[in-house]
Amino acid sequence: MSGVARRLRDSVERWQAVLELPDVAVRPEPDVWSRLEYCCHVLDINRVFTVRVERMRSEDVPTLEGWDGEVAAVEGDYNARDPRSVASDYETAAHRAAELFASLEEDAWHRQGVREDGKRFTIATLADYWLHEVQHHLADAER
């Protein structure tokens, strides 16, 4: 699972390039997020999931509070954010997450957490989902 840290670090430069585009806050369709909104969403994922992994590493099967990305987008007014600040914040969050993953002992990847809805997962399965979100939304934003 050592590739998780590398892939998070590698995403930084690509997200920064996306955030430099002149139309970064333009939605291609009314119901499709702008590039800025996609990056803010992934930034929040990095922050929320880092806390989850930290708790899973230090607590025995913690119950993790729910997080709704759609609600976060509205409450965070993603499209009104400054792209330069988002780029800096993303770099910080991605590197923090990468350091966390790089520091995990092999047996930590099997530690579990449980969502409020009762679904159990491990740090490894959370990492897979996390990377999927980063890569999927990056592909959306690079179109």
Side-chain angles (χ1 to χ4, degrees), residues 8-28:
L8 285 170
R9 285 187 191 104
D10 289 349
S11 73
V12 172
E13 189 174 307
R14 290 175 63 194
W15 275 114
Q16 288 175 336
V18 165
L19 290 168
E20 291 175 2
L21 295 171
D23 61 348
V24 71
V26 175
R27 285 183 162 202

Side-chain angles (χ1 to χ4, degrees), residues 2 23 26 40 47 51 80 91-92 100 106 111 127 133 138-139:
S2 61
D23 61 348
V26 175
C40 289
R47 289 173 170 164
V51 170
E91 180 177 18
T92 299
L100 174 61
E106 192 61 38
R111 293 189 60 84
E133 286 291 293
L138 186 53

